[in-house]
């Protein structure tokens, strides 16, 4: 066998055993996860699961031996169970701190299998912000989040967003003349997705009716203000006259 072929064979064996011994799982906060080792044969007399986080801190997760079960670490208390027949571990109510590498010792011997767990927060339900543009028939819709963003319109078509300076994306929406058209923004990560409430075209552009209503309201208010002003002037003149009269009256009575 040539050296080249040998290298290839070694490489293939290495890659396949790597794949077989490494299991990668992504879960959302609050989910449960199960890891199960290859068949235990003959039955084990002791089992121990260990967890190493990305800082390299190693803790015992759950142990079983002739003294029964024990869960020494607070982080795994009340949420972890172990099946002593199969070696399967279950962890419920996961949080991001449970991310890391899980390994199992059977009869005090560390097994080759590796279990990688990544626990991610669920994405929040996004809220679309709007911003006017110079063009009265166009507005910007903004989705300010760091996750993957997917824009869609009411026809189900995916729209291409442009990157914002800090985080998130925006799209430019032009008036189509159909008030029922709408747009949504969806956030996505490896374990979850969430879509915003739709933003309708009727709420993005002032149509003719609203402009008319605003114009009427403004002219009515102006008329009322002018009337109040005139009434005020009238009363001032009236009072001044009144005042003058009473002064004259006072002078006469003082005499
Ligand atoms: C790893 O665990 C240690 C001890 O609990 C903790 O202080 C540290 O923040 C953890 N690292 C990560 C990346 O969670």
């Amino acid at each position: 066998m040539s050296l080249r072929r040998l290298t290839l064979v070694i490489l293939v064996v290495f890659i396949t055993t790597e794949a077989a011994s490494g299991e990668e799982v992504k879960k959302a906060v609050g989910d449960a996860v199960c890891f199960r080792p290859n068949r235990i044969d003959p039955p084990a007399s002791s089992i121990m699961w260990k967890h190493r986080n990305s800082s390299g801190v190693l803790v015992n997760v759950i142990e079983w031996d002739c003294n029964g079960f024990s869960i020494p670490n607070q982080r795994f208390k009340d949420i972890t169970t172990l099946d002593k027949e199969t070696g399967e571990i279950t962890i419920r109510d996961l949080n991001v701190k449970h991310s890391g590498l899980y390994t199992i010792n059977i009869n005090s011997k560390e097994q080759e299998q590796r279990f990688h767990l990544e626990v991610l927060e669920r994405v929040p339900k996004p809220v679309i912000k709007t911003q006017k543009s110079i063009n009265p028939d166009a507005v910007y819709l903004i989705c300010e989040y760091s996750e993957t963003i997917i824009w869609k319109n009411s026809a189900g078509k995916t729209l291409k967003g442009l990157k914002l300076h800090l985080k998130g994306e925006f799209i430019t929406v032009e008036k189509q003349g159909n008030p029922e058209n709408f747009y949504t923004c969806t956030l996505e990560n490896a374990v979850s997705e969430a879509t915003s409430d739709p933003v309708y075209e009727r709420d993005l552009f002032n149509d003719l009716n609203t402009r008319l209503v605003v114009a009427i309201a403004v002219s009515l208010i102006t008329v009322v203000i002018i009337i109040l002003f005139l009434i005020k002037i009238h009363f001032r003149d009236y009072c001044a006259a009144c005042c003058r009269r009473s002064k004259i009256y006072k002078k006469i009575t003082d005499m």
Side-chain angles (χ1 to χ4, degrees):
M1 207 188 276
S2 74
L3 186 63
R4 211 175 183 180
R5 187 170 281 180
L6 190 66
T7 324
L8 189 70
V9 168
I10 288 172
L11 207 67
V12 167
V13 168
F14 179 73
I15 290 171
T16 46
T17 50
E18 259 299 292
S21 67
E23 198 176 305
E24 302 223 1
V25 176
K26 285 183 176 156
K27 292 284 179 178
V29 168
D31 282 356
V33 70
C34 300
F35 292 130
R36 188 181 190 145
N38 295 332
R39 230 168 94 78
I40 299 182
D41 192 28
S45 56
S46 78
I47 296 174
M48 168 162 0
W49 280 93
K50 294 174 182 246
H51 171 241
R52 186 189 294 275
N53 75 9
S54 59
S55 321
V57 176
L58 187 68
V59 298
N60 294 349
V61 177
I62 190 164
E63 306 164 19
W64 171 76
D65 59 18
C66 54
N67 297 319
F69 292 95
S70 91
I71 302 174
N73 192 278
Q74 199 56 42
R75 186 172 295 164
F76 294 97
K77 275 221 159 52
D78 303 328
I79 57 169
T80 311
T81 53
L82 171 65
D83 181 331
K84 61 183 171 23
E85 308 301 329
T86 63
E88 183 176 68
I89 188 177
T90 305
I91 310 170
R92 288 174 291 108
D93 202 15
L94 291 168
N95 65 50
V96 289
K97 295 235 160 164
H98 294 122
S99 299
L101 179 68
Y102 290 81
T103 53
I104 179 171
N105 285 13
I106 298 172
N107 300 336
S108 304
K109 184 171 180 299
E110 179 163 328
Q111 307 297 298
E112 275 177 14
Q113 262 180 306
R114 296 276 177 277
F115 303 89
H116 296 268
L117 174 65
E118 190 180 354
V119 183
L120 299 163
E121 300 276 1
R122 280 175 206 281
V123 296
K125 179 177 170 177
V127 175
I128 295 180
K129 291 186 197 165
T130 61
Q131 198 178 320
K132 287 194 164 49
S133 76
I134 309 166
N135 177 355
D137 286 337
V139 290
Y140 301 121
L141 301 189
I142 299 166
C143 217
E144 240 174 341
Y145 300 87
S146 334
E147 291 83 1
T148 303
I149 293 172
I150 300 151
W151 292 99
K152 285 206 170 154
N153 64 14
S154 36
K157 188 168 171 258
T158 305
L159 308 170
K160 174 137 182 54
L162 295 175
K163 289 258 171 295
L164 282 167
H165 173 52
L166 285 175
K167 59 174 181 179
E169 289 185 3
F170 71 95
I171 56 171
T172 309
V173 168
E174 282 178 19
K175 192 171 176 173
Q176 307 287 318
N178 180 358
E180 295 306 315
N181 279 352
F182 64 81
Y183 303 87
T184 59
C185 156
T186 300
L187 302 185
E188 205 180 66
N189 68 10
V191 296
S192 63
E193 67 165 52
T195 300
S196 68
D197 286 333
V199 169
Y200 286 90
E201 179 167 322
R202 61 168 178 264
D203 299 323
L204 293 176
F205 305 98
N206 290 339
D207 58 17
L208 199 62
N209 281 344
T210 28
R211 278 187 217 164
L212 207 65
V213 168
V214 169
I216 291 173
V218 168
S219 21
L220 268 181
I221 290 169
T222 317
V223 167
V224 167
I225 288 175
I226 291 173
I227 290 175
L228 286 177
F229 186 69
L230 291 177
I231 289 176
K232 196 178 151 201
I233 289 178
H234 177 76
F235 266 97
R236 203 183 52 205
D237 293 350
Y238 174 78
C239 286
C242 219
C243 221
R244 267 200 304 277
R245 239 179 285 136
S246 68
K247 269 187 198 144
I248 294 166
Y249 178 74
K250 200 160 179 286
K251 268 190 197 139
I252 294 170
T253 49
D254 282 352
M255 278 200 306

